[in-house]
Amino acid sequence: MRNFAASVTGMTLALGALSLTVAPTATAATSCPSGTVCIRETNGTILDKNIFRSYGPHNLSNVTGVRVVVNNQTGGAAFQLCLGYNGTNCGDENRDTGEYPPHDMTPINSLYLVR
């Protein structure tokens, strides 16, 4: 009986240690490259298609729901969120760098990068 109790105790300790090693961990959000504007996915990642490097309009595809836009452009460059495709019907210029508050991107169809 003593061997059985020792085996159960050993298994309990082993399983407890195993659960510590497979516990999920929080991941940091993907960084936005310097000189770009990025749109984060809801899980914090940034898809290559949502990294914008050149000035002018950029049509969006399947960017819906609440997202965070990151302005990591240099030299005071701005971005605008636009209701229409090809940079039409745009909102204000956003020149501050860093992450902007979450925004519902569902009605947004393009992003315009401004010098």
Side-chain angles (χ1 to χ4, degrees):
M1 188 63 147
R2 191 182 307 211
N3 286 340
F4 177 74
S7 296
V8 170
T9 302
M11 285 176 41
T12 303
L13 289 173
L15 290 174
L18 180 61
S19 68
L20 290 176
T21 58
V22 296
T25 59
T27 56
T30 306
S31 63
C32 183
S34 179
T36 66
V37 171
C38 304
I39 300 174
R40 289 194 191 284
E41 295 296 302
T42 55
N43 65 3
T45 62
I46 300 172
L47 301 177
D48 287 340
K49 72 174 189 157
N50 291 334
I51 299 174
F52 307 97
R53 293 177 170 80
S54 59
Y55 296 116
H58 299 273
N59 292 330
L60 303 179
S61 177
N62 296 319
V63 179
T64 59
V66 176
R67 306 289 179 95
V68 171
V69 178
V70 181
N71 185 9
N72 206 13
Q73 296 182 96
T74 57
F79 74 91
Q80 295 172 282
L81 298 177
C82 308
L83 295 175
Y85 286 104
N86 301 316
T88 60
N89 198 13
C90 298
D92 295 335
E93 290 183 359
N94 300 287
R95 292 197 179 273
D96 293 334
T97 57
E99 292 189 354
Y100 279 74
H103 184 80
D104 182 8
M105 298 295 286
T106 303
I108 306 301
N109 287 302
S110 63
L111 184 80
Y112 197 94
L113 273 57
V114 182
R115 285 183 198 243

